[in-house]
Amino acid sequence: MRSFLFFSCIALICPTGHAQLNTAERNGIADTLYLANMSVRDLEYERKPFSDPLRMRLVDKSLDNPLETADELMILHSQGKTGPVSRLIELLMKEEKWIPKASSEIAPGVLEGIEKVPATCRPAVSTLVRAIIKANAEIRAAEIRLSRDDRRTLIESLPGWAVEEPLVKFSFSKGRPANQARILKLLSVIDFAKLYAASSELSKVVESQMTHLKALVVDIPKKLKLRVGGVQVVLAGKGDDLHDDTDVLLTIDFGGNDIYTGRAGAGVAYASVLIDLGGDDRYQGGDLCFGAGLLGIGIAYDLGGNDLFRGHSLCFGAGLAGVGTFVKVGGDDLYQSVALSQGFGEFGIGICLDTAGNDHYDLKLLGQGAARTQGFGWLIDRQGDDVYRSGGLSLNTPLFKNVHYSNAQGFGAGYREDSGGISGGVGLLTDLQGDDDYLAETYAQAASYWFSLGSLYDLSGNDHYVGYHYCQASAMHCTGAYLFDLAGDDTYSVSYGAAHAIGHDYGVAMLLDRGGNNVFAARDSTPGIGNANGLGLFIGGP
């Protein structure tokens, strides 16, 4: 058994190809290994001392074949450039081979109460209500083996199990949480593929109605709250409205500078949709709101305006045994959350997508593209000069006295035990354009822990990465961490160490910086390190 594996630290002049390692990079790796009497095949050795039926396919592949995984990850990240959320969900399902069974058919019928909806938006509301009814039927079918008490147990227990930090409280969790064994037993009877397929199907219907809704001329002088086909619906015109409802499954606001304090676009064992069609809005939610799914499906869209997005935990693209998607189109926006937010998934899919603008993302713990067991968490920002900041809540003790966990910005984590524990998920952060700042403390910027995968992909711009420890392609214990920065003059700064492509204890880490005049600064760290059977691949271009 190897006590360590020779690392590769390669400087290359590379042509610009974005979706995979190019010929020069592959040849550079092969040539560097040749100097140590090794070959590319020597990068493929057994790194999984424990088996786990919950381990994700992409995590396994990152440990088995690092170079093929780098290609697959870059292709996956690049898919975030265009297209709607429904396609992204289907891509993630395809990655893990989550194949749903046939969906249910809902009889058309007449929707009771539809006549109360203003005539101009009646067709769109009818279409969306029918889609929500169908999604709710799919959710019930996926969770048919759970009793009402089982659902309540999961709702009370899952958030705390996911975050593992007593300082993070959840306002809706009042009872005593179940232990891990009980949680896993209840989760094992859910048909997640059916749930994910239902979220994609509902997303497609929402996407199909967006253009039509934007073009409508509506006359809604005050907010309307109606029941249509048994679904609670809120419609608001172009004035400035307060949305404080917690029981609404479809919210459509046609414009104005609005305030959201309720639970719009959050699904708790059901489906909920929020569509805001414009204005400078303020979102001031608590736990479980604005694009969050907990045993359900939460979809939220905000189109245009410079907005303030403040939520506590489980918001802005969070899927916990469910699917949560949050989409912001344009505008210079501020996101602030505590935990499980801005692209987080566990036994679920959480996607936060911002299409343009100079945005600021602030998070305390676990988000900005983070995932745990059987989850995908994905934050995508397509354009603008952005700032990503995470940390400041949970101290990383006893290792440090005044440094915090970030667990963010392309981060995955499992639950480690001497007997094997439970594997983690796949956390992805994709930034496609702009000069960006990534600010974190520990476990961030393509980092992972225990049979999981964390990856950060920055396509262009002059970027700054600042962290303290365990960051910037840091893979700790049988896990994968991949950082790709494909253009620009970049700065990577780490205060302590364990960074810049370090694979520890069967960990696989890769940092690829393709081109530009770059600076790498760290105390107690050297680019490209593999120890205790780990692998570190550092590939830098001038």
Side-chain angles (χ1 to χ4, degrees):
M1 181 180 291
R2 299 171 176 84
S3 60
F4 68 91
L5 185 71
F6 182 85
F7 66 85
S8 57
C9 183
I10 310 161
L12 302 169
I13 299 175
C14 301
T16 57
H18 294 143
Q20 61 185 21
L21 293 171
N22 57 40
T23 301
E25 288 156 357
R26 287 184 174 276
N27 289 342
I29 293 170
D31 291 346
T32 303
L33 290 168
Y34 178 77
L35 295 175
N37 196 29
M38 300 172 71
S39 72
V40 170
R41 291 297 300 273
D42 288 308
L43 302 182
E44 302 170 18
Y45 58 92
E46 181 56 50
R47 300 181 177 90
K48 303 188 295 294
F50 305 102
S51 61
D52 181 5
L54 294 176
R55 190 167 305 142
M56 297 175 74
R57 186 200 67 84
L58 202 50
V59 172
D60 263 343
K61 187 167 185 179
S62 73
L63 295 170
D64 293 338
N65 196 318
L67 301 189
E68 282 190 15
T69 302
D71 287 346
E72 188 169 340
L73 281 171
M74 282 193 278
I75 291 169
L76 180 58
H77 280 292
S78 68
Q79 296 295 313
K81 293 179 188 177
T82 58
V85 161
S86 60
R87 185 179 68 88
L88 299 177
I89 293 171
E90 290 174 352
L91 280 172
L92 298 179
M93 292 177 65
K94 184 178 179 181
E95 282 290 334
E96 289 300 316
K97 303 187 187 308
W98 288 329
I99 303 171
K101 298 174 184 176
S103 62
S104 319
E105 290 301 324
I106 303 297
V110 176
L111 292 174
E112 183 181 355
I114 191 66
E115 71 280 355
K116 298 177 183 179
V117 174
T120 53
C121 51
R122 201 171 294 162
V125 170
S126 177
T127 299
L128 289 165
V129 166
R130 292 184 191 281
I132 289 171
I133 292 171
K134 183 174 182 181
N136 284 338
E138 294 295 287
I139 293 168
R140 288 193 296 272
E143 300 171 5
I144 194 169
R145 296 172 64 187
L146 293 176
S147 69
R148 178 176 294 183
D149 287 344
D150 291 338
R151 290 190 187 90
R152 188 69 243 172
T153 296
L154 286 174
I155 290 168
E156 294 275 351
S157 306
L158 278 170
W161 182 59
V163 76
E164 287 192 301
E165 172 50 70
L167 291 174
V168 180
K169 307 294 184 182
F170 297 91
S171 58
F172 56 85
S173 185
K174 306 294 185 183
R176 183 176 180 179
N179 61 29
Q180 180 173 274
R182 175 67 174 156
I183 291 171
L184 290 172
K185 184 177 180 180
L186 293 177
L187 290 172
S188 70
V189 305
I190 299 175
D191 185 346
F192 284 105
K194 179 178 281 291
L195 187 59
Y196 303 153
S199 73
S200 176
E201 188 173 346
L202 178 57
S203 295
K204 287 177 183 177
V205 176
V206 174
E207 292 153 6
S208 73
Q209 296 302 306
M210 210 73 71
T211 302
H212 176 60
L213 286 169
K214 286 192 294 183
L216 286 180
V217 177
V218 297
D219 182 17
I220 304 177
K222 64 178 182 178
K223 189 174 78 170
L224 300 176
K225 189 170 183 178
L226 314 165
R227 184 171 289 275
V228 180
V231 171
Q232 198 75 267
V233 177
V234 160
L235 303 174
K238 296 191 176 182
D240 300 342
D241 301 297
L242 171 64
H243 295 276
D244 56 358
D245 304 283
T246 59
D247 60 345
V248 175
L249 303 194
L250 175 60
T251 302
I252 304 175
D253 189 293
F254 286 89
N257 302 323
D258 307 308
I259 297 175
Y260 290 86
T261 62
R263 191 166 279 166
V268 189
Y270 52 77
S272 179
V273 175
L274 161 64
I275 303 170
D276 186 291
L277 294 165
D280 297 332
D281 305 312
R282 284 187 294 156
Y283 292 72
Q284 300 172 175
D287 295 314
L288 192 53
C289 56
F290 317 140
L294 176 54
L295 290 172
I297 300 167
I299 297 173
Y301 277 81
D302 188 293
L303 310 185
N306 301 317
D307 300 323
L308 173 62
F309 301 113
R310 283 193 176 126
H312 196 262
S313 299
L314 277 171
C315 49
F316 309 131
L320 190 53
V323 180
T325 60
F326 185 89
V327 180
K328 175 64 205 300
V329 178
D332 300 334
D333 308 308
L334 172 64
Y335 296 81
Q336 292 181 327
S337 317
V338 175
L340 312 183
S341 180
Q342 301 170 29
F344 172 81
E346 179 165 28
F347 282 94
I349 296 172
I351 298 175
C352 180
L353 168 62
D354 191 296
T355 66
N358 301 323
D359 305 310
H360 189 118
Y361 300 86
D362 194 281
L363 172 87
K364 298 297 184 184
L365 184 70
L366 264 174
Q368 296 178 359
R372 302 209 70 174
T373 306
Q374 285 280 298
F376 276 107
W378 197 357
L379 170 56
I380 303 169
D381 191 293
R382 288 179 174 164
Q383 185 178 333
D385 300 334
D386 307 307
V387 177
Y388 303 87
R389 184 185 180 280
S390 61
L393 175 69
S394 177
L395 282 171
N396 188 345
T397 56
L399 190 59
F400 303 108
K401 293 182 179 179
N402 59 351
V403 181
H404 303 85
Y405 289 103
S406 293
N407 296 6
Q409 299 173 15
F411 173 76
Y415 298 85
R416 183 182 178 186
E417 296 176 8
D418 290 340
S419 58
I422 303 170
S423 301
V426 177
L428 307 169
L429 195 164
T430 304
D431 189 291
L432 297 164
Q433 190 179 102
D435 301 332
D436 307 307
D437 295 313
Y438 301 91
L439 312 175
E441 295 184 69
T442 61
Y443 289 108
Q445 300 160 12
S448 61
Y449 184 90
W450 200 252
F451 291 109
S452 54
L453 177 61
S455 181
L456 190 158
Y457 176 98
D458 190 293
L459 183 60
S460 65
N462 303 320
D463 308 307
H464 295 87
Y465 300 84
V466 180
Y468 195 89
H469 193 48
Y470 297 133
C471 56
Q472 299 169 24
S474 180
M476 296 291 116
H477 310 291
C478 312
T479 191
Y482 294 74
L483 194 161
F484 311 101
D485 190 298
L486 302 185
D489 300 330
D490 308 309
T491 301
Y492 301 80
S493 173
V494 179
S495 298
Y496 196 83
H500 303 161
I502 177 170
H504 170 67
D505 184 24
Y506 294 104
V508 174
M510 175 185 288
L511 193 158
L512 166 62
D513 189 294
R514 184 178 285 164
N517 298 310
N518 306 308
V519 175
F520 293 87
R523 170 193 165 192
D524 189 31
S525 182
T526 301
I529 294 176
N531 61 27
N533 299 294
L535 169 66
L537 287 166
F538 177 90
I539 309 170

